[in-house]
Amino acid sequence: MAERFVVRTPGRGFIDITRQVAAAVSTAGAVSGVANVFVRHTSCSLLISENADPSVRHDLEQWMGRLVPDGDPVFSHDMEGPDDMPAHIRSVLTGVSLTVPVLDGRLLLGTWQGIYLWEHRHQGHRRELVVSCVPGL
Amino acid sequence: MAERFVVRTPGRGFIDITRQVAAAVSTAGAVSGVANVFVRHTSCSLLISENADPSVRHDLEQWMGRLVPDGDPVFSHDMEGPDDMPAHIRSVLTGVSLTVPVLDGRLLLGTWQGIYLWEHRHQGHRRELVVSCVPGL
Amino acid sequence: MAERFVVRTPGRGFIDITRQVAAAVSTAGAVSGVANVFVRHTSCSLLISENADPSVRHDLEQWMGRLVPDGDPVFSHDMEGPDDMPAHIRSVLTGVSLTVPVLDGRLLLGTWQGIYLWEHRHQGHRRELVVSCVPGL
């Protein structure tokens, strides 16, 4: 059975969920194969990024804010505010599904890789995640 | 065995394939695990996006058209026309493979998530898709 | 068991790893399901792209170099040089994990699809990859 958990975000920014994902994988037992992490929303996303220096996330946010600016007049969909459509675009660009190899119940991430939930709305949200463990050959 | 199906696109734009994917997953039985959707081309892509308001897709197309404009003079690869290279870039940015959790033979998508095929060529194409169901723990 | 291998890159650019991935899948036997390819770093990425005309990769590099320019003053994280932060952003945009359907031990790629490792640093690096084969229904 997949593990499901909720992350409450404080607003736009990154939340390191590596530990929650690792715990969900560990709960499934000493399996080898892959784990899929999935977030059930269209205005946040998942990514694997550098986990050592917070300035990487800071710069990522700055760069993305320039690529997909809030309140861009090209957007007609702004019912929930100037960050509504930008959140959908950021979610499409970085994706809502990540698959990571697993060995003996442990994520085979590189030393500098962390798994992050990226909240794209300025307001905090309740985000549902699903971690599925799939045994390999 | 994976399910395979073909989508005939009318040209650039989005086609909701959520029902076809759900049907392929259902055919595999009441399995829990993940389903992978894969499109066997390099000038279209797959994405999960908001499924309620068509203006989201409209804005996504407008924004992407500005990010990767047809006929950009930076492109040398234009044998099939001004949308040739932009289609390849859009395909790389949004990807050709999606993995979604499955519970009891049903896709565990969020309420507002739909699965879309994004045609990036102006001309209609015949696009081959593969849906693979993989049982989890 | 997953197959692991190393690719030594000569610096920024694309390396076709389709054959190595296909060999890893073949080693796992005549399984049908999916294969996941994962690279354990945050300054390179994996992608599926057109495999016939090298000008596609050339144009992709040119376009990406304009989207995420080296030495952009918006970046504060530049400890390893002007390509440090751009490499992290390119890695997030195109991703480090790819899942591909497999039929009877063979990758179900389209005719024009190749699997590439994209090195984003100017200096050559040693890149670790993991290929996991997962049997499907």
Side-chain angles (χ1 to χ4, degrees), chain B residues 1-2 4 28-29 31 36 38-42 67-69 72 74-77 79 85 88-89 91-93 96-97 99 130 132-135, chain C residues 32-34 47-50 53 55-56 58-60 62-64 66-67 93-94 99-101 103 108-113 118 134-137:
Chain B
M1 290 296 282
R4 297 168 74 157
V31 66
N36 176 262
F38 188 85
V39 64
R40 303 177 74 219
H41 306 274
T42 64
L67 185 71
V68 195
D72 189 323
V74 85
F75 301 140
S76 61
H77 177 91
M79 214 162 26
M85 194 58 216
H88 291 309
I89 291 182
S91 174
V92 166
L93 282 181
V96 296
S97 178
T99 300
V130 184
S132 307
C133 286
V134 176
Chain C
S32 293
V34 298
L47 71 157
I48 288 176
S49 185
E50 210 262 1
D53 186 346
S55 69
V56 172
H58 172 268
D59 288 0
L60 201 42
Q62 295 302 112
W63 182 86
M64 189 59 100
R66 200 176 59 188
L67 185 70
L93 282 181
T94 47
T99 300
V100 179
L103 183 64
L108 257 184
L109 291 169
T111 310
W112 310 109
Q113 289 181 315
W118 196 350
V134 176
L137 284 183

Side-chain angles (χ1 to χ4, degrees), chain A residues 59 66 99 108-109 134 137, chain C residues 1 40 72 76-77 97 133:
Chain A
D59 288 0
R66 199 176 60 187
T99 300
L108 257 183
L109 292 169
V134 176
L137 283 183
Chain C
M1 292 294 284
R40 304 178 73 221
D72 189 323
S76 62
H77 177 92
S97 178
C133 286

Side-chain angles (χ1 to χ4, degrees), chain C residues 1-63:
Chain C
M1 292 294 284
E3 294 286 315
R4 298 168 75 157
F5 63 95
V6 165
V7 172
R8 288 175 195 279
T9 67
R12 186 171 281 180
F14 299 89
I15 294 181
D16 189 337
I17 57 168
T18 314
R19 272 199 316 156
Q20 283 108 308
V21 174
V25 168
S26 171
T27 299
V31 66
S32 293
V34 298
N36 176 261
V37 194
F38 188 86
V39 62
R40 304 178 73 221
H41 306 274
T42 63
S43 55
C44 62
S45 54
L46 298 175
L47 71 157
I48 288 176
S49 185
E50 210 262 1
N51 60 7
D53 186 346
S55 69
V56 172
R57 268 101 68 202
H58 172 268
D59 288 0
L60 201 42
E61 189 70 65
Q62 295 302 112
W63 182 86

Side-chain angles (χ1 to χ4, degrees), chain A residues 10-130:
Chain A
R12 186 170 283 180
F14 299 89
I15 295 180
D16 188 337
I17 58 168
T18 314
R19 273 199 315 156
Q20 282 107 308
V21 175
V25 168
S26 171
T27 298
V31 68
S32 293
V34 298
N36 176 261
V37 194
F38 187 86
V39 63
R40 303 178 72 219
H41 306 274
T42 63
S43 54
C44 60
S45 53
L46 298 175
L47 72 155
I48 288 175
S49 186
E50 209 263 2
N51 61 7
D53 185 347
S55 69
V56 172
R57 268 101 68 203
H58 173 268
D59 288 0
L60 201 42
E61 188 69 64
Q62 295 302 112
W63 181 86
M64 188 61 100
R66 199 176 60 187
L67 186 70
V68 196
D70 290 342
D72 189 324
V74 84
F75 300 141
S76 62
H77 178 91
D78 58 2
M79 214 162 25
E80 296 189 22
D83 62 336
D84 185 347
M85 193 58 214
H88 291 310
I89 291 182
R90 288 155 160 253
S91 175
V92 165
L93 282 181
T94 46
V96 296
S97 178
L98 278 183
T99 300
V100 179
V102 170
L103 181 65
D104 290 335
R106 296 185 60 179
L107 296 169
L108 257 183
L109 292 169
T111 310
W112 310 109
Q113 288 181 315
I115 305 177
Y116 293 88
L117 171 66
W118 196 350
E119 175 62 69
H120 298 305
R121 301 299 311 272
H122 285 294
Q123 210 177 351
H125 278 74
R126 183 186 177 280
R127 302 304 194 179
E128 293 180 37
L129 290 109
V130 185

Side-chain angles (χ1 to χ4, degrees), chain B residues 59-78:
Chain B
D59 288 0
L60 201 42
E61 189 69 65
Q62 295 301 112
W63 182 85
M64 188 62 99
R66 200 176 59 187
L67 185 71
V68 195
D70 290 342
D72 189 323
V74 85
F75 301 140
S76 61
H77 177 91
D78 58 2

